[in-house]
Structures are given as C-alpha cells and as structure tokens.
C-alpha cells in the first residue's frame, strides 16, 4: 500500500495536467503572447469550493472518505523511515507525507468539480478503479491480521471501499449524463439551470411573506430531536467534515481496540503469573492482594469495553449536534442576532476569519477524535468507581455495609443542602422588607432587622468557611467533568467568561461562522445576484441597441401596488427627512 501510494503520484500529476489544460484563465498573460496556441489555457484546477459550494456535497464527502485509509498510512513506521540522527526532522517528514497524500487524493476531487464532465468522469473512474483494485487485492491476499485475527483488514478497509464504490457509480452517472447532453438526448430527469441556489431564493421569499396566524402542529421528532428546514442547506465543507469525522472515528476506535487487545493479552499473562504466585505462597495476605489485583483487571477490562460503546455514541451524537448548532448559529447571524457571541468575538479581523475556515475541518475532526479518547477515559474512571462502590461490595457479601455508608453519605449531603436552603428561607422570612405590591413575585432587595442580620452572619461565618472548602472541590470536579465532556464540542467554549479568546477551537468556530455569513447569506447573495443580472442586461442593451425582455426570473414575487407605494414613500422620506414635516396629517 505504501509503494502504491508513492507510485500513484505520477498518474495523479498527469490527471491534474490534463484538467489544467482544459481550464481557461480569467486573463491573458505573457505566456499567451509567447505561445498563442495556449489561448488562456492551463488554468488553475480547484479540488472543491470551501466557502459557498452546495453541489456535489455527498460525492465530495465520500471522496474524503475514500482518502481515510491513506491518512492512516502516515502513522505507519515503515512510511518514510528516519535514521535516529534525523529524528528532529519528523515534523517536515509529516508535512511531506501530508502533501503526498493530498496530491495522491487530488484527482478524486478535481474530477468531481471540473466543468468538463466527460473527461473528468473518465479519468476519475479509471483512477478510482485502480485504487479500488489495489485495496481489494490487498484484502484478498492478506485478509487476516495479527491482533484482531480473522478479517482484520476487511474490518479496517471496508469504509474506504464503500466510498470508492460510491465514487465509481457517481463517475458513471456523470459520464452518462454528460454524454446524453452532448448528444442532445432527452435527460433522465428534468433539471432547470439556475444562477442562484434555489433554497437561498426560497429563504428570501419566505422573509417577504406574512407569518401564518396559526402555526402547524409539529411532530414529536421535530419538537425534540430535529426540525428539517427546507430553506437551509449545509455547505459541502460541513458535509465532508461530518462524513470524514465518522469514518476517522471508526478507524480510531478500531486502532484503539487493537491496543486494547494487546494490553488484554499482556494482562492475561499477568493473571497467569498471579495464579503461580497463589500456588507457591500460602500466606493469606498475599492471596488477598492477588485476588484484589485480579478483580481490578477484570473490572477495568469489562468497564473499558462497555464505555467504548457509550463513548462512541456520545462522539457520533456530537457530530450531528455540531451540524444542528451550525444551522442555528447561521440563522441567528442572518437575522442580525449576535447576542450569543462573546463580546471579544463580535469583531474579528478578516485574516483571522480566512485562516479559521481553512483550519476548521481538520481541527473539528481532531477534536472529535481526542474528545472520544478523553470521554472514554473519564467514563471508564467513573465506571470503575461505580463498580468498586456498588457492585463489588454486593458481590463479596458486603451489601449491608455498603448501604449503610451510602445512607450516611446521602444523609450528610441532605443536611448540608438543607442548611443552605434554611439560610435562604431565613433571609426571606426575617431579613427582607415586605413586598411593595401584592402582585410582586419577590420581596425587594432591602434589608430589615439589621441587628439580627449581623448576628446571623457572624455565627454562620465559621460554618460557611468549612462548607466553602467542599463547595470549592465540587466546583473543581464539576469544571473537570464538564470540560472533559464538552472537549469535542468546538461550537461552544469551555473557558469561563472573559477568557474565551484563549479557546482556539471556539475561536476557529466563530471565524468560520463569520466567513460563511459573509459569503452565503441568502439576502446578500440574492441582492448581489440581482445586481449582476441587471448589469448584464444593461451591457446587452448597449451592445444590441434595443431593450431585451426576459421572463426568466429566479424568484416570483407578488407585490401589491399599495405595498410598492408604501415602500417608495419610506425610501423617499429616508432620503429626504425634511419632507416628513410637510406630510398631510391623517
């Protein structure tokens, strides 16, 4: 696989050169003067649009999924091995490997995004088919592994194979569709060419309509799980991020399971050594300690396997929840609502926003993977604590003692909480002045019985010092748990208020939101589209010398004469404020 990755650079470069020769540059240069046959050819090929592309979203997502196995090759020790004296250059080797993987995967995206569908589909099908054949041959020749055992390579490589099968079908569809269009045959499905995305035009249309008086009844799924919005579509970048994050998470879990199996085998050998120690030693203390160690190994293995499932479900839910938060935040920005943003992020520099959208997808995937590992570790720790606190005492016949200790702890906690509530009730009953109005919900913040209040504070001062120690530890524990639980959630900061700028992940999220807001805002896109259409019509009128009427409109607005007159009146009064005093009163 490593050898084929190196060898695939030659056909990849050849495909890029062919597609570049078909592309035209926007302006002529000195190359066209020197070689007139170029005629603005050899333009730049782009793999995908990271700012405002809404087409080929799932195809590009599966193309990223097809590259997942190449990314895992970078972690191989045999890939570009370094002598010991050049270990300092490991960062440059990783950069070189990343560039090689990107160049090897470039044809997947370039063939999907090119305007020359027949050429792109043909080259993409051949290149994808060669990778599919190599991976399939690798699985057939060596399906098993040394750690999981049977079908190890199939378990590891099947997501990439599935994505490549999808790409093969997509390239066939592109070729058939482009061929039918070239032969001018009736298309399989009727598609209308549009210069603006349909969902953007529909979003602007629904802004112009009056809201309905009665809201339709929503189902339980739409109220509590997810509500589909027909006027919103996720850009290609978010779809590709979600697909690649799920595939990388799967591979990460498989690798983690590999490590778990190796550690489990070592622990089983250690348990065999413990059995030898028990046989050779007749001391009760040694036997008890060995039994405790064997219980700890069994408990840790069982809890780790169980929390693998829960941590996976949590990380997968985070991927979909991040998509939902992206839609919620974007719609708030479209409506001009920035109250949900910290004050330090209300205005970010343009360069920071551009850099943020460039690194968002990679950082989000890395946060998901590291977040899974951290969540898994935290859940395993709590699982071991639960087993030692509740399950093992019952297993060893100490259930009654465990219940006594549990009851004592619950009673102590209840007393502490009760005393805290008693302070609040006492302050409400004796140290606040009566309500000003009977309809007020709470008493005013005005002290009453001041002398008694000072004595109340004095005697509770010493108790609150001791209580504050426990509250401080609880605050620390809560911060650690919440921070570890939300480490993968790049859409919200885990830093306290005033320190949000130190959270680089959240800073990247905000910069990406502003970048998308300025480039995909439906109202702005619709306005710019109208300007471009009107400018082209005027240019066409100047060149032809007569008016050009067209019925092709992206949106069909039905505006009454009364609404149009009111709009013109408002526009006139805004530009001429002095006319407001001359208006005839009603």
């Amino acid at each position: 696989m490593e050898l084929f990755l190196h060898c695939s650079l030659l056909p990849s470069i050849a495909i890029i050169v062919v597609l570049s020769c078909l592309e035209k540059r926007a302006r002529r240069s000195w190359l066209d003067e020197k070689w007139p046959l170029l005629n603005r050819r050899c333009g730049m090929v782009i793999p995908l649009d990271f700012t405002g592309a809404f087409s080929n979203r799932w195809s590009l997502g599966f193309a990223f999924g097809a590259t997942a196995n190449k990314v895992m090759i970078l972690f191989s020790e045999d890939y570009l091995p370094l002598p010991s004296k050049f270990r300092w250059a490991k960062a440059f080797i990783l950069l070189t490997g990343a560039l090689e993987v990107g160049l090897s995967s470039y044809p997947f995206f370039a063939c999907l995004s090119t305007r020359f569908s027949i050429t792109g589909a043909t080259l993409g099908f051949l290149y994808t088919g060669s990778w599919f054949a190599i991976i399939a041959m690798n699985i057939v020749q060596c399906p098993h592994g040394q750690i999981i055992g049977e079908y190890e390579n199939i378990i590891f490589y099947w997501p990439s194979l599935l994505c490549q099968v999808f790409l093969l079908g997509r390239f066939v569809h592109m070729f058939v569709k482009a061929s039918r269009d070239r032969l001018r045959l009736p298309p399989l499905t009727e598609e209308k060419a549009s210069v603006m995305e349909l969902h953007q035009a529909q979003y602007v249309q629904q802004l112009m309509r009056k809201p309905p008086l009665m809201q339709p009844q929503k189902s339980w799924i739409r109220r509590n799980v997810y509500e589909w919005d027909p006027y919103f579509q996720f850009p290609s970048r978010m779809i590709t991020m979600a697909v690649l994050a799920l595939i990388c998470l799967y591979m990460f879990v498989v690798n983690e399971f590999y490590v778990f199996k190796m550690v489990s085998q070592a622990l089983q050998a250690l348990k065999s050594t413990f059995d030898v120690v028990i046989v050779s030693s007749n001391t009760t203390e040694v036997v008890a300690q060995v039994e405790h160690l064997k219980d700890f190994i069994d408990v840790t293995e069982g809890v780790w396997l169980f929390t693998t499932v829960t941590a996976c479900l949590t990380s997968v839910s985070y991927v979909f929840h991040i998509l939902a938060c992206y839609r919620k935040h974007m719609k708030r920005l479209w409506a001009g609502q920035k109250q949900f943003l910290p004050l330090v992020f209300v205005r970010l520099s343009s360069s920071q926003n551009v850099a943020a959208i460039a690194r968002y997808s990679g950082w989000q995937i890395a946060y998901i993977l590291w977040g899974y590992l951290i969540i898994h570790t935290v859940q395993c720790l709590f699982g071991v604590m639960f087993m030692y606190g509740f399950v093992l005492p019952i297993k060893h016949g100490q259930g009654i003692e465990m219940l006594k200790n549990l009851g004592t702890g619950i009673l102590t906690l209840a007393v502490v909480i009760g005393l805290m509530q008693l302070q609040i009730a006492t302050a409400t009953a004796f140290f606040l002045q009566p309500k000003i109005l009977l309809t007020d919900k709470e008493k005013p913040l005005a002290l009453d019985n001041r002398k008694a209040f000072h004595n109340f504070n004095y005697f509770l001062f010493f108790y609150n010092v001791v209580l504050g120690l426990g509250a401080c530890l609880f605050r620390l524990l809560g911060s650690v748990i919440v921070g570890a639980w939300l480490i993968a959630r790049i859409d919200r900061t885990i830093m306290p208020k005033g320190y949000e700028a130190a959270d680089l992940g959240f800073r990247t999220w905000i910069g990406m939101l502003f970048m998308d807001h300025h480039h995909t805002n439906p109202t702005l896109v619709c306005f710019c589209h109208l300007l471009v259409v009107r400018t082209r019509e005027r240019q066409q009128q100047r060149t032809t010398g007569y008016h050009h009427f067209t019925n092709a409109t992206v949106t069909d607005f039905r505006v009454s004469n009364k609404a149009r007159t009111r709009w013109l009146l408002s526009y006139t009064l805004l530009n001429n404020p002095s006319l407001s005093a001359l208006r005839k009163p009603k």
Side-chain angles (χ1 to χ4, degrees), residues 66-101:
T67 65
N69 63 320
K70 300 181 183 180
V71 176
M72 302 308 296
I73 294 178
L74 294 176
F75 296 95
S76 175
E77 296 180 357
D78 298 331
Y79 179 76
L80 295 178
L82 279 175
S84 58
K85 62 180 180 180
F86 293 113
R87 291 296 180 184
W88 56 271
K90 187 175 182 180
F92 295 101
I93 295 299
L94 290 178
L95 177 60
T96 304
L99 294 177
E100 184 180 11
V101 169

Side-chain angles (χ1 to χ4, degrees), residues 29 48 69 100 123 181 183 227 240 329 348 354 358 362 392 394 397 411 420 446 563 570 575:
S29 64
L48 70 158
N69 63 320
E100 184 180 11
L123 296 177
D181 293 341
L183 297 175
E227 182 177 2
T240 55
H329 290 171
L348 290 176
V354 173
L392 289 183
I394 297 176
L411 181 60
M420 294 175 62
S570 301
N575 292 323

Side-chain angles (χ1 to χ4, degrees), residues 408-424:
T408 303
I410 293 176
L411 181 60
T412 303
L413 183 62
V415 170
V416 171
I417 296 176
L419 290 175
M420 294 175 62
Q421 296 297 324
L422 181 62
Q423 294 181 33
I424 298 175

Side-chain angles (χ1 to χ4, degrees), residues 404-560:
K404 290 181 179 179
N405 295 331
L406 180 63
T408 303
I410 293 176
L411 181 60
T412 303
L413 183 62
V415 170
V416 171
I417 296 176
L419 290 175
M420 294 175 62
Q421 296 297 324
L422 181 62
Q423 294 181 33
I424 298 175
T426 304
T428 304
F430 300 103
F431 303 128
L432 287 178
Q433 296 180 10
K435 296 180 180 180
I436 299 176
L437 298 176
L438 296 178
T439 56
D440 293 342
K441 293 183 179 180
E442 295 183 357
K443 292 182 178 181
L445 189 58
L447 283 176
D448 196 5
N449 301 322
R450 289 176 176 266
K451 293 183 179 181
F453 173 72
H454 295 320
N455 283 277
F456 178 78
N457 276 347
Y458 174 78
F459 285 106
L460 286 179
F461 171 79
F462 305 99
Y463 170 74
N464 286 327
V465 170
V466 181
L467 182 62
L469 294 176
C472 179
L473 295 177
F474 179 78
R475 180 187 184 187
L476 177 62
L477 180 62
S479 300
V480 171
I481 294 175
V482 173
W485 200 269
L486 299 178
I487 190 65
R489 292 281 303 278
I490 200 175
D491 59 294
R492 63 185 307 160
T493 180
I494 59 175
M495 295 293 181
K497 186 176 181 181
Y499 296 90
E500 297 93 348
D503 191 344
L504 298 180
F506 185 66
R507 196 169 188 168
T508 300
W509 171 265
I510 297 299
M512 181 269 299
L513 288 180
F514 275 114
M515 191 70 178
D516 281 352
H517 171 58
H518 284 82
H519 286 80
T520 61
N521 190 323
T523 307
L524 178 62
V525 171
C526 182
F527 175 73
C528 295
H529 165 72
L530 293 177
L531 291 180
V532 171
V533 171
R534 295 294 175 86
T535 303
R536 290 176 179 175
E537 289 179 354
R538 291 176 182 177
Q539 292 177 351
Q540 187 175 4
Q541 291 174 8
R542 292 174 183 174
T543 55
T544 57
Y546 58 88
H547 295 283
H548 175 71
F549 297 96
T550 178
N551 293 324
T553 57
V554 177
T555 57
D556 186 14
F557 297 109
R558 293 179 294 178
V559 183
S560 63

